[in-house]
């Protein structure tokens, strides 16, 4: 099983980090991971458009993605966008995931 991890994209309207993320996904396409785990800090400043673009790009991958919040992420917005994959703990604002993969 190949698990890929990406962290700290920090995309904003003032940088080119979404294009860099696209380069990473292109590189990962050659590796064909079984799953991608994004470990937080996807955007800066609560940039909702960046979250939307990241989510749209992940939906086009042929492997599942799990998204965990970092300290610069809005946990509530992340739970609304990616909550169907995991479950949200309202007391700690944590997102938890359990996923079973073949192999």
């Amino acid at each position: 099983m190949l698990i890929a991890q990406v962290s700290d994209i920090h995309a904003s309207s003032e940088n080119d980090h979404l294009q860099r993320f696209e380069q990473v996904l292109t590189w990962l396409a050659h590796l064909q991971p079984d799953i991608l785990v994004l470990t937080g800090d996807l955007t800066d400043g609560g940039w909702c458009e960046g979250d939307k673009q990241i989510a749209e790009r992940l939906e086009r991958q042929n492997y599942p993605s799990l998204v965990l919040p970092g300290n610069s992420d809005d946990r509530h917005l992340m739970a609304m966008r990616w909550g169907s994959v995991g479950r949200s703990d309202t007391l700690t604002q944590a997102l938890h995931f359990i996923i079973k993969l073949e192999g």
Side-chain angles (χ1 to χ4, degrees):
M1 173 172 289
L2 181 61
I3 300 171
Q5 178 193 3
V6 174
S7 184
D8 296 284
I9 300 169
H10 288 284
S12 80
S13 60
E14 299 173 2
N15 63 39
D16 67 344
H17 295 188
L18 284 178
Q19 290 82 11
R20 292 175 186 226
F21 180 58
E22 181 69 32
Q23 291 174 337
V24 169
L25 292 177
T26 299
W27 181 75
L28 285 175
H30 299 290
L31 295 177
Q32 287 299 301
D34 295 294
I35 192 164
L36 170 62
V37 181
L38 288 107
T39 52
D41 294 343
L42 303 183
T43 62
D44 282 342
W47 189 44
C48 293
E49 179 60 29
D51 277 338
K52 179 182 173 189
Q53 289 183 36
I54 290 170
E56 289 171 353
R57 186 59 178 99
L58 293 175
E59 289 172 4
R60 294 194 301 259
Q61 301 306 305
N62 60 355
Y63 46 81
S65 300
L66 299 178
V67 181
L68 301 169
N71 63 319
S72 73
D73 296 312
D74 183 320
R75 295 170 191 274
H76 177 70
L77 291 175
M78 288 183 82
M80 287 180 6
R81 183 168 312 278
W82 286 289
S84 62
V85 177
R87 64 181 171 84
S88 179
D89 182 338
T90 56
L91 295 177
T92 63
Q93 295 185 334
L95 294 177
H96 306 278
F97 298 96
I98 298 173
I99 186 168
K100 293 184 180 195
L101 298 172
E102 295 299 319

